[in-house]
């Protein structure tokens, strides 16, 4: 379990590395960027490698399928997160209402007058 230490202004939570996915995502991004730069440079300096139109169409179709699947997954996950958010808000309001009813009952059935203490108990 992560223990949150907010600091004076709370910036350590925003810029913290512990428990964050940013270092792993940064490593993956740097590796993929280096591969992309390497392939781009090798294609610029090679004489006989020119893109084939059929290959280009195939790659475009694969990217379209990949993008469609990713959009479906992201939309599905966002929908689930939104439903959880609403459920949490609803449960918080329900809890607030229960506490309000309990406090209202305490106020309604309590009295500071000594002659009414026997009736309350």
């Amino acid at each position: 379990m992560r223990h949150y230490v907010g600091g004076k202004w709370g910036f350590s939570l925003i810029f913290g590395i512990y428990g964050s996915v940013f270092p792993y995502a940064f490593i993956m991004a740097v590796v993929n960027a280096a591969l992309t730069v390497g392939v781009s440079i090798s294609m610029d300096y090679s004489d006989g490698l020119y893109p084939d139109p059929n290959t280009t169409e195939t790659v475009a179709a694969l990217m379209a399928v990949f993008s469609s699947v990713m959009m479906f997954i992201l939309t599905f996950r966002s929908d689930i997160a939104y439903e959880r958010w609403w459920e949490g808000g609803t449960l918080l309001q329900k809890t607030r209402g229960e506490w309000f009813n309990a406090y209202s009952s305490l106020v309604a059935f309590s009295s500071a007058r000594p002659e009414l203490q026997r009736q309350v108990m």
Side-chain angles (χ1 to χ4, degrees):
M1 180 175 175
R2 180 172 181 188
H3 298 284
Y4 293 100
V5 179
K8 186 173 182 181
W9 297 98
F11 288 119
S12 63
L13 292 177
I14 297 171
F15 299 115
I17 297 296
Y18 176 73
S20 177
V21 297
F22 289 118
Y24 302 112
F26 182 74
I27 290 170
M28 292 298 290
V30 167
V31 169
N32 286 318
L35 287 172
T36 303
V37 168
V39 168
S40 177
I41 290 172
S42 69
M43 286 185 71
D44 286 342
Y45 287 112
S46 65
D47 295 331
L49 288 177
Y50 291 105
D52 183 27
N54 293 331
T55 306
T56 305
E57 290 176 7
T58 305
V59 169
L62 286 174
M63 285 301 294
V65 169
F66 176 75
S67 299
S68 300
V69 169
M70 288 303 293
M71 276 304 248
F72 175 75
I73 290 171
L74 288 174
T75 303
F76 184 70
R77 287 178 57 102
S78 297
D79 187 45
I80 290 173
Y82 188 67
E83 288 175 7
R84 287 180 181 170
W85 184 80
W86 270 112
E87 183 181 5
T90 303
L91 290 174
L92 280 174
Q93 289 296 327
K94 184 178 177 182
T95 304
R96 180 186 163 270
E98 294 291 330
W99 278 103
F100 183 79
N101 286 338
Y103 183 74
S104 298
S105 296
L106 285 174
V107 170
F109 294 113
S110 64
S111 175
R113 295 191 291 180
E115 63 268 7
L116 296 176
Q117 285 183 354
R118 286 192 181 174
Q119 292 178 355
V120 172
M121 293 186 176

